[in-house]
Amino acid sequence: MVCGFDILGMAIHEPYDEMELKLLETPEVIIRHRDDFGLPEEPSANVAGVVLLKMIEHLNLKKGFEVTIRKRIKPGSGLGSSAASAAGAAVGANELLGNIFKREELVYFAMFGEELASGVRHADNIAPCIYGGITLVKSSDPVDIIPLSTPDLFVTAVHPQIEVKTSDARQILKTTVLLKDAIAQWGNIAGLIAGIQKNDYGLIGRSLKDVIIEPVRSILIPKFDEIKKKSMELKALGGGISGSGPSVFMLSETEKVSRCIAEMMKDTYDGIGIESMVCISKINPSGITIMD
Ligand SMILES: Nc1ncnc2c1ncn2[C@@H]1O[C@H](COP(=O)(O)OP(=O)(O)OP(=O)(O)O)[C@@H](O)[C@H]1O
Ligand SMILES: N[C@@H](CCO)C(=O)O
């Protein structure tokens, strides 16, 4: 999330996936997709599958899991599609096993899914799915998650219908940063967290700035600068690239502003012939919901 690359993330209500998990009497994993994204059903190639295989191995479990996934979060969108399946598998399996794992252990297992998707075990998208709201990944090894407050803000997100794989969007990043950029980024992260905890929307807005990742990745996102500039003119608090892109999100204080931003985002992509999906959501304080 903007200046909090790999450490800050937030859960939203829409879009969401549905997953159904059943216990099997044999230690195997069966994955079935009920969507049109063409994702692999081979457990070792599916992020939900690798999480469950890891859990079975860790527990030396004699049982297994059958998983049906109805995915609505498009893979490669930047909206946390891989994290939703990975975290959903960990949370669902834990429920079937009688809630034997703590939340940080579920983050640990779910990160194997992110490793499959992007090559790196990062928890910024996983943690908000499991804890809800906005979370800070103080450390991913060992797992140390700090749940933050949930400001009463609107999130407008647009997904231009192009795919950017997280693994590709990570490869283009520089591996060193200038000290002056690091200092600016530390200030922004600290300001953002202070703003979230104090419900200080002005401070949140001033701190939603990324001087390290965004300048590199935004070149992959058509109309990124224009969308950001017009959102600020429409009174967004701020925003930036969602996940590794190409989705872009903006925070705002009122539903009216979030709707104006949504309309502008759609019109901007329509104007250059790129289909887009826009959603408006509040920040979701509970993350994954378990149904009977
Ligand atoms: N169950 C699954 N759900 C989503 N992606 C999956 C799943 N299983 C395997 N994958 C693979 O993971 C990759 C998608 O993950 P990726 O991190 O690139 O996208 P994302 O999660 O939408 O992005 P971000 O993490 O930036 O929000 C694709 O290569 C896809 O084939
Ligand atoms: N922190 C990750 C999130 C996307 O998976 C990235 O930006 O690469």
Side-chain angles (χ1 to χ4, degrees), residues 5-6 114 122 124-125 166 170 217 243-244:
F5 173 74
D6 272 3
E114 290 292 55
H122 56 84
D124 53 336
N125 292 347
T166 303
R170 291 185 83 91
R217 280 187 173 168
S244 61

Side-chain angles (χ1 to χ4, degrees), residues 10-16 79 150-158 249-255 258-259 262 278-285:
M10 71 183 154
I12 54 176
H13 293 280
E14 308 263 354
Y16 64 90
L79 293 170
T150 304
D152 190 23
L153 293 172
F154 289 85
V155 185
T156 315
V158 62
F249 81 97
M250 289 290 152
L251 296 182
S252 50
E253 282 181 68
T254 67
E255 189 169 0
S258 68
R259 291 205 176 283
V278 185
C279 59
I280 296 174
S281 176
K282 299 300 288 277
I283 300 170
N284 176 352

Side-chain angles (χ1 to χ4, degrees), residues 33 39-40 45-48 69 71 74-83 85 114 116-118 122 125 163-167 242-245:
H33 269 278
L39 290 167
N46 190 293
V47 301
I69 305 176
K71 182 162 280 296
K74 208 166 174 177
S77 59
L79 293 170
S81 181
S82 49
S85 288
E114 290 292 55
L116 176 73
S118 72
H122 56 84
N125 292 347
E163 186 181 350
V164 174
K165 286 209 164 104
T166 303
S167 49
S242 177
S244 61

